[in-house]
Amino acid sequence: MLQLRPNCECCDRDLPPAAHDAMICTFECTFCADCAETRFHGACPNCGGELVRRPVRPASKLEKYPPSTERVRKPHPDCAAA
């Protein structure tokens, strides 16, 4: 089950469960589309994996399978200006 992390690990932008601009890698590192494209050029800065659009969990499933509330920030040189 995807964690659906609530923010971009780089710029800390909110990424609610229905966000169409949330990007993830296979380890669920989560970034907004802007950081994923402009700062990391589609590759996760943590693991080097491909960043792809995070699927949207149907609203009817959010109560039983809630998104994560833990905000994750990971230091990375390209995020210093964020």
Side-chain angles (χ1 to χ4, degrees):
M1 182 72 55
L2 289 175
Q3 291 181 352
L4 298 181
R5 295 178 182 169
N7 65 304
C8 174
E9 293 178 16
C10 183
C11 71
D12 202 32
R13 178 178 167 197
D14 289 340
L15 295 170
H20 288 279
D21 60 343
M23 308 292 283
I24 61 171
C25 72
T26 61
F27 290 98
E28 296 187 55
C29 301
T30 304
F31 300 94
C32 68
D34 186 49
C35 287
E37 294 167 12
T38 61
R39 296 177 190 273
F40 308 123
H41 310 289
C44 178
N46 302 317
C47 70
E50 180 182 17
L51 291 169
V52 298
R53 186 176 163 272
R54 181 180 74 187
V56 173
R57 184 167 300 156
S60 63
K61 303 294 183 190
L62 289 173
E63 185 174 335
K64 185 173 182 179
Y65 304 103
S68 174
T69 58
E70 181 184 353
R71 297 182 80 83
V72 176
R73 291 290 309 266
K74 293 185 181 173
H76 189 275
D78 288 335
C79 296

